[in-house]
Amino acid sequence: MPAQGPNSAARTPFVLLVVALLGGGLITLLVLNSALNAGSFKLSEYRRQTTELTDEQQALQRDVDDLSAPDALSRRAGDLGMVPGGNPVFLGPDGTVKGVPTPAGEPSPAEAAEPSPLPAAQQNQAPAPQPKHHTPAARPHKPAKTSPTPGR
């Protein structure tokens, strides 16, 4: 029988090297897997936040669209005491007035003589009462605050 001494002594460092490499590989895989799981949790949290913020942005955009609709603007302007301007009047370069000037809120002679046509759906219904516009009380004029001209 051959002797086992020198042959088994040469295998020991090789076996320890293979065990160390396998152990190091398993630990590296464990660390990588943990890092990927943490990244996955962050990614799902960011997706949830993105969905919430997108929903909020769409709701705010709907609010802006509702408030900027012509009927909403007209209603809010009436609540503030504003009245329709009527037909415009123009000044020529020589100072001549083109058009008939009227105070805001009063119909111009052309508008008073010519009634506005109603859509077919509203012709059969009784006309709605027109809101009476009032001119708000004059407010005292406050001078605007001005800042000094930069560089002087």
Side-chain angles (χ1 to χ4, degrees), residues 18-117:
V18 169
V19 169
L21 286 175
L22 287 174
L26 287 175
I27 290 173
T28 303
L29 284 175
L30 180 65
V31 168
L32 285 175
N33 192 19
S34 298
L36 287 175
N37 280 339
S40 175
F41 287 129
K42 282 185 181 178
L43 182 62
S44 64
E45 176 66 20
Y46 291 152
R47 283 185 180 158
R48 184 188 61 78
Q49 286 178 354
T50 300
T51 303
E52 288 176 1
L53 291 174
T54 301
D55 291 344
E56 182 180 355
Q57 188 260 344
Q58 289 173 352
L60 291 173
Q61 186 62 45
R62 262 192 321 269
D63 291 345
V64 167
D65 292 342
D66 290 343
L67 292 174
S68 64
D71 61 335
L73 288 175
S74 174
R75 184 177 56 252
R76 287 187 12 234
D79 292 344
L80 292 172
M82 300 174 123
V83 294
N87 288 334
V89 176
F90 300 98
L91 291 176
D94 58 351
T96 59
V97 177
K98 295 182 181 181
V100 179
T102 58
E106 294 180 10
S108 68
E111 290 175 345
E114 183 179 304
S116 62

